[in-house]
């Protein structure tokens, strides 16, 4: 592990680290915000998954989350959105290849060798974080757009690992929208029965218990074609699953939207993380 | 005037506009945050001057200021840091030419035709803002690094126009440090008597009355060579001028530092702006 950045902010430290990922077969960066209390206490972790084209930098420079993470004593880990490096397969479009890992395990060529973001986020990264940082084992997960898809699917598939999940403008039904269909066909192949394991709307079920919150701007230009939150909300209703949903008037898909409501999301997760009765 | 951006955030609107500047002889962008109350009330304005290499974008995407501006009902105007365009003189170094206007009126060639940022900030821009936006005539000014220099010098030269001034890690004595000496020699020529009109440490005097606040990180890599806040503080003491000064332990020169304390600066300006007895 190599430290690339360490900057004081809101009394804590915003760090960026580089490490060799065995899961992704490449060198990866991740960002971690450590509140001041992390010097003396073990704290819970909120994972933040970013959207298409992002790196580990977007969230930490634009969301203003550190203020609330410091206030609520929550560590935030923000990984990159795909494998990186010259020998990693890529595509010229912004919604496939680098910056567009979709938080799944690719089975198709040329992607399978590196595009294993699901295993990286669920398994490798938490072990690495636990080895190097003062965490107490409690985890929550959130994300934006493609990262909202990642957060919802990962939490729904691993409810024992996360106290809560939230998303800003998530892709809730990738198997039914162009972004998801394109990515899944390339990464997972034509057999659509393989796709539903990474579709939040297909995954939510009567056993789902963890707190879920979604914020969505009604001026988001991707709302009706790519995001379609009503599909997930209908599935929640059908299974009698609670989902806090806020349609925000006048807000778009940008970090200005995230910055406005990230404080509420961190408070939501902090409540779940600090009330979670499970021992670490 | 052409609107380039209009995004909702913290209940207000973050806008970016483009206009033809008569003072600078070029097309300029500026950013303006309008709190929700600007729809029904005339509000005071805080001008924010950015540092070397910045455009109107850095502050609005990284500082997290909109939250506090909304809370305190203050409009924030963030101009660009120099004239722009293909026919504007430039230099390959980051600290001269485009992105490095130093908020002065250049007298030397090839700079004088466009580099008139002092007049642009003091005279042209406030008139433009008053024509197009619901402002009440009360103004304050703040900035970072080169922009802190701009804020301090502009407020000290025009105390009747600004209710208060603040700065993050300002260049307080440009005539005595490399950044300022290089810029002033190119923009103003060799006659150093012309330089002191743009040097905050030289400008502060016994008549100075407006509230002044400076925050400075002690891990700022420019602190001892380029910023040297002690020179300004000594001048304030010599003239019995009050200056709130905070040396912040562990903080550097970045927007992470600004984000941490911008809320306190906006509260400082809001107090002065809303208590200012002068009518608009």
């Amino acid at each position: 592990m190599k430290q690339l950045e360490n900057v004081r902010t809101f009394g804590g430290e915003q760090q960026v680290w580089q490490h060799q990922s065995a899961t992704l077969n490449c060198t990866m960066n991740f960002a971690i915000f450590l509140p001041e209390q992390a010097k003396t206490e073990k704290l819970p972790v909120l994972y933040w998954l970013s959207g298409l084209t992002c790196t580990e930098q977007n969230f930490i420079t634009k969301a203003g989350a550190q203020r609330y993470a410091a206030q609520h004593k929550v560590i935030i880990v923000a990984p990159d959105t795909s494998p990186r490096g010259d020998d990693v397969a890529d595509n010229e479009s912004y919604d496939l290849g680098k910056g567009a890992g979709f938080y799944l395990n690719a089975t198709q060529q040329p992607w399978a060798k590196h595009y294993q973001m699901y295993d990286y986020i669920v398994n490798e990264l938490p072990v690495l974080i636990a080895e190097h940082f003062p965490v107490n084992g409690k985890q929550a997960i959130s994300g934006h757009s493609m990262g909202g898809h990642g957060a919802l699917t990962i939490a729904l598939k691993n409810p024992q690992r996360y106290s809560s999940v939230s998303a800003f403008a998530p892709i809730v039904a990738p198997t039914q929208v162009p972004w998801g269909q394109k990515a899944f066909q390339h990464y997972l192949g034509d057999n659509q029965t393989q796709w539903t394991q990474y579709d939040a709307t297909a995954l939510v079920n009567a056993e789902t218990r963890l707190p879920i919150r979604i914020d969505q701007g009604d001026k988001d230009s991707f709302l009706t074609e790519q995001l379609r939150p009503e599909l997930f909300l209908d599935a929640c209703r059908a299974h009698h699953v609670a989902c806090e949903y806020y349609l925000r008037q006048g807000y778009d898909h940008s970090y200005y939207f995230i910055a406005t409501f990230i404080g509420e999301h961190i408070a939501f997760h902090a409540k779940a993380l600090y009330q979670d009765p499970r021992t670490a």
Side-chain angles (χ1 to χ4, degrees), chain A:
Chain A
M1 289 250 293
K2 180 180 162 192
Q3 193 180 64
L4 303 182
E5 297 180 23
N6 185 10
V7 184
R8 192 162 199 203
T9 193
F10 290 101
E13 295 181 354
Q14 180 61 61
Q15 303 180 349
V16 176
W17 291 84
Q18 189 167 79
H19 73 112
Q20 184 62 29
S21 166
T23 307
L24 302 175
N25 282 306
C26 67
T27 301
M28 292 292 288
N29 293 350
F30 68 87
I32 183 167
F33 174 71
L34 298 162
E36 191 167 19
Q37 294 88 350
K39 288 178 184 164
T40 51
E41 294 175 51
K42 292 187 171 185
L43 300 181
V45 178
L46 173 64
Y47 285 85
W48 172 268
L49 305 183
S50 289
L52 288 166
T53 77
C54 289
T55 69
E56 85 288 348
Q57 287 291 325
N58 302 65
F59 181 74
I60 65 173
T61 56
K62 292 185 167 183
Q66 294 91 347
R67 175 194 161 112
Y68 312 101
Q71 181 185 337
H72 291 286
K73 298 202 301 176
V74 173
I75 290 169
I76 302 185
V77 173
D80 203 345
T81 58
S82 76
R84 300 284 177 181
D86 292 342
D87 66 333
V88 170
D90 199 7
N91 185 279
E92 64 191 7
S93 52
Y94 76 98
D95 54 1
L96 186 67
K98 291 180 195 175
F102 272 87
Y103 305 102
L104 51 72
N105 294 331
T107 57
Q108 304 300 299
Q109 297 311 329
W111 312 105
K113 184 181 175 190
H114 297 288
Y115 285 77
Q116 303 291 323
M117 287 296 291
Y118 176 84
D119 276 349
Y120 177 68
I121 301 295
V122 173
N123 297 312
E124 184 179 7
L125 196 52
V127 170
L128 189 78
I129 297 298
E131 278 175 10
H132 293 276
F133 301 98
V135 299
N136 69 7
K138 305 290 175 63
Q139 303 186 136
I141 191 163
S142 183
H144 173 229
S145 196
M146 176 185 75
H149 144 73
L152 289 170
T153 53
I154 284 171
L156 290 168
K157 288 161 74 79
N158 302 277
Q160 77 291 355
R161 297 196 184 206
Y162 301 94
S163 303
S164 47
V165 59
S166 77
F168 291 82
I171 305 169
V172 296
T175 65
Q176 300 184 58
V177 304
W179 273 341
Q181 290 167 339
K182 176 179 176 181
F184 286 11
Q185 183 151 31
H186 283 270
Y187 294 140
L188 302 173
D190 291 331
N191 181 355
Q192 298 196 9
T193 59
Q194 295 299 311
W195 295 12
T196 53
Q197 63 179 308
Y198 300 114
D199 183 298
T201 298
L203 287 166
V204 69
N205 64 71
E207 308 304 311
T208 302
R209 292 285 176 278
L210 84 170
I212 307 172
R213 172 179 175 148
I214 294 173
D215 280 67
Q216 172 65 55
D218 76 348
K219 291 290 187 292
D220 186 324
S221 58
F222 302 112
L223 178 56
T224 54
E225 189 187 6
Q226 304 282 12
L227 305 177
R228 303 184 65 187
E230 70 282 2
L231 296 175
F232 183 73
L233 297 172
D234 286 348
C236 287
R237 256 177 241 116
H239 295 294
H240 304 287
V241 168
C243 174
E244 281 186 49
Y245 177 72
Y246 301 92
L247 186 65
R248 299 298 189 176
Q249 213 176 349
Y251 288 88
D252 72 0
H253 199 67
S254 71
Y255 265 92
Y256 290 117
F257 164 55
I258 297 172
T260 306
F261 301 106
I262 192 69
E264 293 185 29
H265 279 239
I266 290 173
F268 168 83
H269 289 294
K271 187 178 170 196
L273 287 163
Y274 278 99
Q275 289 182 349
D276 192 326
R278 294 173 295 189
T279 50

